[in-house]
Amino acid sequence: MTAVSALAAGASEPLSLDSCRALAIENNKELLIQAEKVKAAGYQRKEAFAAYLPAIDFAGGYMYNQKNISIFDKDQLLPTKTFNMQTGSYDFNLVTDPATHMPIKGPDGQYIPSTVALIPKDAMTFDIHNVFFGAVTLTQPIYMGGKIVALNRMARYAEELTKDLHASARQDVVYAVEAAYWQVVSLSAKQKLATSYVALLDSLDRNVGLMVDEGVATKSDKLTVDVKLNEAQIDLTKVDNGLVLSRMLLAQLCGLPVDTDIRVIDEAADNATPKEEIATEYNMQEVYRARHDVHALEMLTKVTDEQKNVALSAMLPNLALVGTYSFSNPNMFDGFKTRFSGAFSVGVMLKIPVWHWGGNYNKLRQARAEQHIAQLTLDDAKEKIALQVSQAAFKAQEAMKTYLMTMTNETKAQENLSNAQIGFQEGVLTTDNVLEAQTAWLKANSEKIDAMIDVQLCDTYLTKVLGRSIY
């Protein structure tokens, strides 16, 4: 059973730093959100690619009409013609005067036909009360001014950007976990130190009490030790409370209930060593390539550059192939029939922007300005990262030097405390001398603990700013 599974099962097995990192990465809500954004960006990239392919759409509907449609308002009488053998053409059949054989005009001034063709109104009335219609349309883009290509590049860059943001957020979470982890280690060590200091004062208090009973020490000495002992006990209580809170913070970062009694392996650590030798100079180009945030800004710059191409495409012609199959009921393809029938049609659609009062051009200028902003942001970030790396390296070196000096001070303070205790027992040193030696011992050990934790945190921070994987 691993430390992670053991803790999940309620066991009290200590967690390693890697286990805490794994728990935090698995349970952190911000990382889960970033992971979903990566998925969304992937879907957006696939959506952009679909614009290259033909789109097929269906549209249909139904309409009820109150009235039918009729071509004529009443029955129609149409004049007829007869073939004239002499002229070789058709002549109207007209009523003629028997005497003159000339066509006769009616009261309206028009010639009166002798025979007519009857077209009833009902024959030209069509039932359109219920109309069903639909169309299947296929659209294939041929040239969209470069818009589809630009959108596909934007989607690809945006997906890479979200991946970089996810990786950067992951490093931030790991760094926060490490800070909380080493805070637990620090307070645990200080708890042990405070307990030892209380034990020293308690032993001194008993010895001084015996000396007061024997008349070789004053009550003032006893009161001085009592005050120091009370102060030490108060400090121990503060450390205990701080340790409980730090364990709660670590549990929360790991995605565990805050009342989980987390124990960490390094609580017993008494030495600090960096992961590797701390350099004084670094190849910043390699750092930029390793930093996810820099890569994200580079992708953002490329995205804004493609936005400029999209804005430019609005000023260029668009050409697309269109094919449609439309149908209706009733239909007029072969006379008026109350049944479904349809037909295909194929064409090309061309759209050329002519005049938009500078709207498209100003949109292009806006895109160019945003691209320039993104480039300036990237350059500014690189300058700040160079300073950040120098400061982190300096702090890491300073932390290691401080730690080495605190180790020396701790050894000397321990030796000084031993000499003071021996001198006090032999009666050559006073209570104040012992208290002073104990205070110096406490300070030296406390500074050593702080320096040890500072070495670990500075080393982790340097690794983070260099873009190297912390976990």
Side-chain angles (χ1 to χ4, degrees):
M1 181 181 289
T2 63
V4 177
S5 59
L7 186 62
S12 58
E13 183 177 346
L15 286 177
S16 66
L17 181 55
D18 284 345
S19 298
C20 292
R21 291 165 172 165
L23 281 170
I25 291 173
E26 180 182 356
N27 299 313
N28 184 266
K29 298 298 186 296
E30 182 63 29
L31 288 182
L32 295 176
I33 293 173
Q34 291 292 341
E36 290 301 316
K37 289 183 178 180
V38 172
K39 291 181 183 179
Y43 298 142
Q44 188 177 22
R45 174 179 54 80
K46 293 179 181 179
E47 176 192 358
F49 179 77
Y52 284 118
L53 307 177
I56 300 177
D57 300 292
F58 170 79
Y62 163 81
M63 182 178 292
Y64 172 80
N65 297 295
Q66 178 187 8
K67 297 181 179 180
N68 290 330
I69 186 171
S70 178
I71 296 178
F72 304 130
D73 61 344
K74 60 183 179 180
D75 294 344
Q76 298 296 310
L77 300 176
L78 301 180
T80 60
K81 287 186 177 182
T82 302
F83 185 74
N84 190 329
M85 297 290 293
Q86 297 178 351
T87 61
S89 62
Y90 286 92
D91 296 331
F92 281 103
N93 298 318
L94 302 175
V95 176
T96 59
D97 188 337
T100 63
H101 299 287
M102 297 299 293
I104 299 175
K105 292 183 178 180
D108 57 357
Q110 300 293 328
Y111 290 108
I112 301 173
S114 60
T115 60
V116 294
L118 173 64
I119 302 179
K121 175 185 176 182
D122 292 343
M124 301 304 292
T125 300
F126 304 103
D127 181 7
I128 60 168
H129 283 307
N130 300 291
V131 178
F132 301 88
F133 53 90
V136 179
T137 304
L138 182 146
T139 306
Q140 173 61 61
I142 299 175
Y143 177 71
M144 296 288 112
K147 180 179 181 179
I148 296 178
V149 175
L151 288 175
N152 273 269
R153 290 175 180 169
M154 283 176 58
R156 187 170 68 252
Y157 296 148
E159 183 180 19
E160 292 186 30
L161 188 150
T162 55
K163 289 179 179 179
D164 288 320
L165 293 178
H166 178 262
S168 182
R170 186 177 186 269
Q171 294 294 75
D172 291 338
V173 169
V174 169
Y175 181 73
V177 169
E178 291 211 10
Y181 180 92
W182 290 114
Q183 180 71 7
V184 170
V185 174
S186 173
L187 290 174
S188 178
K190 288 188 175 182
Q191 183 189 50
K192 296 175 183 177
L193 178 62
T195 302
S196 298
Y197 183 57
V198 169
L200 285 175
L201 288 173
D202 187 59
S203 176
L204 179 61
D205 186 62
R206 289 195 304 270
N207 292 332
V208 173
L210 293 174
M211 293 173 66
V212 170
D213 294 338
E214 295 175 359
V216 294
T218 65
K219 290 184 178 181
S220 177
D221 294 333
K222 181 69 166 60
L223 291 173
T224 301
V225 177
D226 288 340
V227 170
K228 283 290 184 181
L229 178 59
N230 289 336
E231 290 177 352
Q233 289 172 339
I234 292 173
D235 291 339
L236 176 59
T237 301
K238 291 180 179 179
V239 172
D240 290 339
N241 294 336
L243 181 57
V244 171
L245 293 175
S246 66
R247 293 188 195 278
M248 293 173 65
L249 174 61
L250 180 59
Q252 187 271 329
L253 290 174
C254 292
L256 301 172
V258 293
D259 58 350
T260 304
D261 186 21
I262 284 187
R263 304 288 169 172
V264 299
I265 291 177
D266 287 298
E267 288 187 49
D270 57 359
N271 288 311
T273 54
K275 297 183 180 68
E276 59 185 46
E277 184 179 354
I278 303 171
T280 56
E281 294 183 0
Y282 294 93
N283 186 332
M284 292 309 302
Q285 295 305 317
E286 294 181 358
V287 173
Y288 296 149
R289 285 193 293 269
R291 289 281 296 250
H292 293 290
D293 50 352
V294 173
H295 192 255
L297 288 174
E298 290 174 346
M299 291 301 102
L300 180 60
T301 302
K302 292 183 178 181
V303 167
T304 55
D305 187 54
E306 294 303 328
Q307 286 177 339
K308 180 179 63 177
N309 294 332
V310 171
L312 179 62
S313 69
M315 304 170 64
L316 300 176
N318 292 344
L319 181 65
L321 175 66
V322 180
T324 303
Y325 177 79
S326 56
F327 57 90
S328 65
N329 179 10
N331 71 87
M332 296 287 291
F333 290 109
D334 190 16
F336 185 87
K337 292 183 173 60
T338 55
R339 66 185 182 187
F340 282 103
S341 184
F344 287 100
S345 58
V346 179
V348 177
M349 184 173 64
L350 176 65
K351 176 184 176 182
I352 301 177
V354 178
W355 183 252
H356 293 269
W357 301 99
N360 292 336
Y361 179 63
N362 287 320
K363 185 177 181 180
L364 175 61
R365 295 172 70 182
Q366 176 190 355
R368 287 173 177 170
E370 291 177 352
Q371 196 273 338
H372 190 212
I373 292 172
Q375 185 62 50
L376 291 175
T377 303
L378 174 61
D379 295 339
D380 182 60
K382 287 183 176 180
E383 293 176 0
K384 291 179 178 178
I385 288 173
L387 176 61
Q388 188 182 43
V389 169
S390 298
Q391 291 176 335
F394 177 79
K395 288 181 179 179
Q397 292 170 353
E398 182 182 30
M400 194 62 198
K401 291 178 181 178
T402 302
Y403 174 65
L404 294 176
M405 287 188 291
T406 58
M407 289 182 66
T408 302
N409 292 340
E410 188 264 341
T411 301
K412 292 180 179 179
Q414 181 63 49
E415 183 180 356
N416 182 50
L417 177 59
S418 299
N419 292 334
Q421 290 173 334
I422 294 173
F424 179 73
Q425 292 173 359
E426 294 178 354
V428 297
L429 293 178
T430 64
T431 304
D432 291 339
N433 298 132
V434 178
L435 289 175
E436 183 179 350
Q438 289 178 342
T439 302
W441 174 84
L442 176 65
K443 180 181 178 182
N445 279 273
S446 181
E447 289 178 346
K448 178 189 173 183
I449 293 171
D450 291 337
M452 179 183 70
I453 301 304
D454 197 33
V455 168
Q456 301 289 356
L457 292 178
C458 286
D459 182 64
T460 300
Y461 181 68
L462 178 60
T463 303
K464 179 177 181 290
V465 299
L466 290 174
R468 298 168 183 171
S469 179
I470 300 175
Y471 176 73

